[in-house]
Amino acid sequence: MDRNFVRTATGAVAVAVAAFCLMSACVGSGASRPAGTEGTSTPVSASPAPVLLESVAPVFGAKFAQGERVPIRYTLSKGMTADSVVLSVGNRRIGPVAPEGFTYNLGPKYPVGRVVYRLTAYRGGESQSHSGEFTVLAASAPALYGHRVKRIYPHDRTAYTQGLLFHDGSLYESTGLEGQSTLRQVELSGGRVLRSRNLSDLYFGEGLALLDGKLYQLTWQNNKALVYDLNTFDKTGEFDYGGEGWGLATDGEVLYMSDGTEKIRVLDPATFRPLRTIEVYTDRNKVMYVNEMEWVRGELWANVYTSDNVIRIDPQSGAVLGVIDLGGLLSPADIDATTDVLNGIAFDPATGRIFVTGKNWNKLFEIEVVKR
């Protein structure tokens, strides 16, 4: 995203939960009555159906950890009875709930994030639903890591790095800013650009991933993913998507796309359609500004925009497994007026090497992660 792009971090986003409101129809139109009708009564609309469910619990603000049990309860309106009350969580029907409530078990790997459930009361031929929600947090605090620099390579200071990957001895990089965005192949040892393709001046390049001989490149606010042949850099296709494009990674089968929020979309590479969504949470709160990503030994590693941290994410649940502090990589002599934030992770699965850099950085670092 643009270096002037500013967001306000709130730590949590208040989400209003809609309650049912049953309203009776208005009576009377204000028109004068025909002569001789003064003593007649005005027709009244049928009475609204009685409210069966008065409340449900838990509601917004309730938090539980992976592995815990969530007591889901409901209260019928005074004097009301129901033939049955049925629980659904997300799009999955759980089944009837007893009057004393239902205990919903969260497994140790249950997906973290916001969970919306619905209770539906049935009586005769009528039904009424009431929704509630709670948040699932990671079961434990993330492990903390530092780093050790193993080797330093030159990096093009003019490259506003948005996506980075390593393949067959070379780095592949997506750079941003309108009118300056590129797709490029870069020599690791010397930082020399071996091949480059300019994007349209309208596009702001973002995340980059390589899958099955195709390079997938996101754009920030253009709602376009561009697809290229790895060997020729010829554009072979494009996909549309909603929202912003930030980071992109692959596990070799599907694509993982971040959009600057705590959410990561898992995409079908053939259609770019979402298969599911991951929400990124620690044991305390959600992690916003998930940015450039890389698949590293079965985990998603991601830069957190505006910070010196890389987080290790469980790709199934979204729980943050670890936080890597990469502060202090650049010396004061490396920094000039164009130097921007840390952004760019590349992994060489053949050797286990990890490379990191940033926007308009003059260096690329091979690092070793050290447990604190």
Side-chain angles (χ1 to χ4, degrees), residues 33-323:
R33 297 177 181 177
T37 64
E38 289 81 357
T40 62
S41 60
T42 303
V44 179
S45 300
S47 299
V51 176
L52 298 178
L53 283 172
E54 181 178 287
S55 64
V56 300
V59 293
F60 172 74
K63 295 180 179 180
F64 301 87
Q66 292 172 310
E68 291 186 347
R69 297 182 176 186
V70 181
I72 296 179
R73 305 287 185 262
Y74 65 88
T75 302
L76 294 174
S77 297
K78 187 176 181 180
M80 290 295 171
T81 60
D83 299 332
S84 65
V85 178
V86 175
L87 171 67
S88 296
V89 177
N91 296 321
R92 185 165 66 96
R93 183 182 185 275
I94 303 301
V97 176
E100 60 270 21
F102 182 85
T103 300
Y104 185 68
N105 293 321
L106 304 175
K109 292 291 186 178
Y110 195 94
V112 296
R114 178 171 172 257
V115 177
V116 177
Y117 68 90
R118 184 177 69 256
L119 287 165
T120 304
Y122 296 89
R123 189 179 72 167
E126 299 177 346
S127 66
Q128 286 180 355
S129 295
H130 205 323
S131 295
E133 69 171 277
F134 55 90
T135 299
V136 180
L137 302 174
S140 57
L144 301 180
Y145 300 86
H147 68 275
R148 183 174 69 86
V149 175
K150 300 181 70 174
R151 192 168 178 181
I152 301 175
Y153 302 89
H155 182 255
D156 180 6
R157 188 188 286 277
T158 68
Y160 195 73
T161 305
Q162 298 289 70
L164 189 70
L165 63 89
F166 184 90
H167 173 71
D168 199 20
S170 294
L171 292 166
Y172 290 81
E173 191 168 8
S174 169
T175 70
L177 301 177
E178 287 93 348
Q180 302 178 44
S181 295
T182 65
L183 170 68
R184 52 177 68 180
Q185 180 184 1
V186 180
E187 178 187 63
L188 173 62
S189 60
R192 183 167 58 96
V193 178
L194 303 176
R195 283 189 294 167
S196 182
R197 179 188 176 105
N198 294 329
L199 274 65
S200 162
D201 287 351
L202 300 176
Y203 288 160
F204 191 119
E206 282 282 351
L208 184 69
L210 171 62
L211 179 60
D212 294 334
K214 299 176 183 178
L215 287 162
Y216 295 80
Q217 184 180 31
L218 299 179
T219 57
W220 178 28
Q221 295 180 320
N222 306 104
N223 312 119
K224 290 284 187 185
L226 310 175
V227 186
Y228 309 90
D229 180 87
L230 170 66
N231 296 318
T232 64
F233 271 24
D234 290 338
K235 182 183 171 186
T236 59
E238 63 179 45
F239 295 102
D240 296 327
Y241 55 82
E244 296 183 359
W246 285 40
L248 195 65
T250 181
D251 61 1
E253 294 184 1
V254 296
L255 297 169
Y256 296 82
M257 171 182 161
S258 65
D259 60 10
T261 69
E262 78 282 8
K263 297 180 180 180
I264 297 173
R265 307 175 207 179
V266 183
L267 305 174
D268 180 346
T271 62
F272 235 68
R273 292 179 181 174
L275 303 173
R276 62 188 178 96
T277 300
I278 303 166
E279 296 186 29
V280 182
Y281 276 75
T282 68
D283 60 319
R284 296 186 177 184
N285 49 253
K286 64 184 175 183
V287 179
M288 297 284 289
Y289 314 122
V290 177
N291 201 2
E292 209 273 334
M293 299 186 296
E294 181 66 78
W295 186 264
V296 181
R297 302 187 189 97
E299 299 174 355
L300 273 174
W301 288 24
N303 286 274
V304 179
Y305 182 52
T306 74
S307 82
D308 290 325
N309 294 327
V310 166
I311 57 175
R312 297 170 54 183
I313 305 167
D314 180 339
Q316 295 304 313
S317 70
V320 178
L321 305 174
V323 178

Side-chain angles (χ1 to χ4, degrees), residues 150-151 153 166 169 188 297 346-355 366-367:
K150 300 181 70 174
R151 192 168 178 181
Y153 302 89
F166 184 90
L188 173 62
R297 302 187 189 97
F347 177 65
D348 178 8
T351 63
R353 291 181 297 176
I354 300 167
F355 306 98
E366 180 185 339
I367 63 164

